[in-house]
Amino acid sequence: MSTAYDRFLALHHGPGFVMPNAWDAASALIYRREGLEALGTSSAAIAWALGMQDGVAAIDRATAIANGTLMARVSGLPVNGDLEDGFGPSPEDCVATVEAAIAGGLAGLGIEDTTADPAHPIHGYDEAVARIRAAARAAKGRIVLTGRTDNFLHGRNDLDDTIRRLTAFAEAGADVLYAPGLPDMEAIRAVVRAVAPKPVNVLIGPRPRGQS
């Protein structure tokens, strides 16, 4: 019998997989009613619902994971947690987040290369890769790990560096790769080619502020 990890990862490799971001129990149930196969949490939705700013460590690990646990429980669907920077700068912080996500019953989680510091929003390359490598070791075979770079969300419109990071995340053991805010289809194709055969998430929705 396949594990929950295997089933959730298989969805990422299957055709036409769409994973909407729910924000609470009611929205999770609506998505289930409409036939969606999996859900993602949204760090922005959690923060804004509480009147807080997203991406500056205003929400703690327990609150973020509890949101995903609730949606998984009421919907019966696999839930991927948007767990930002892993709730701390070190590889050990990322490992703690992986373990907490597993304990909370999440099917997957994403860890970004962000720092929660608006003055220096993106970790250096070596630090970013070390964090994903540690998270991947903890996650291996137990929870689907998405390695994510937020270069384009923070005005670092460097496709070469984005691909370099995602390729390294894939080699470090991430199951899925993600770079929200890619500017066009050619950039998306370049990312997909670089990390193949691992799947790539593509963000569909309003473009980030400052992008045309």
Side-chain angles (χ1 to χ4, degrees):
M1 180 181 293
S2 64
T3 65
Y5 166 85
D6 293 325
R7 292 193 297 272
F8 190 47
L9 188 58
L11 286 175
H12 286 78
H13 284 277
F17 177 47
V18 176
M19 185 172 65
N21 290 123
W23 55 95
D24 60 7
S27 59
L29 288 172
I30 290 169
Y31 283 133
R32 185 188 70 178
R33 184 189 67 190
E34 296 303 313
L36 277 300
E37 297 179 278
L39 305 173
T41 71
S42 164
S43 66
I46 299 168
W48 295 342
L50 296 174
M52 297 179 179
Q53 186 176 348
D54 183 35
V56 294
I59 304 300
D60 63 19
R61 180 187 289 120
T63 300
I65 291 174
N67 176 258
T69 298
L70 173 63
M71 294 196 304
R73 187 171 74 245
V74 302
S75 70
L77 297 175
V79 171
N80 188 81
D82 175 4
L83 301 184
E84 302 189 72
D85 67 339
F87 301 99
S90 73
E92 291 75 21
D93 291 318
C94 295
V95 169
T97 296
V98 169
E99 296 292 350
I102 293 168
L106 301 190
L109 79 157
I111 291 183
E112 308 163 5
D113 58 2
T114 55
T115 65
D117 177 3
H120 304 281
I122 302 292
H123 281 285
Y125 173 83
D126 290 339
E127 292 83 3
V129 174
R131 286 158 39 83
I132 293 296
R133 182 178 295 110
R137 287 174 180 157
K140 188 178 175 80
R142 300 196 294 158
I143 189 169
V144 175
L145 173 66
T146 297
R148 166 174 164 171
T149 177
D150 277 13
N151 270 347
F152 279 87
L153 293 189
H154 289 278
R156 293 166 53 102
N157 300 333
D158 186 336
L159 183 60
D160 288 341
D161 182 63
T162 295
I163 289 174
R164 180 183 182 222
R165 286 169 181 258
L166 293 178
T167 302
F169 295 168
E171 292 172 351
D175 299 298
V176 181
L177 291 311
Y178 184 27
L182 291 172
D184 51 39
M185 282 301 301
E186 186 49 45
I188 293 170
R189 291 188 187 101
V191 166
V192 170
R193 287 193 297 266
V195 303
K198 292 194 175 182
V200 174
N201 282 352
V202 177
L203 176 65
I204 304 296
R207 295 185 71 82
R209 190 183 316 173
Q211 292 192 12
S212 59

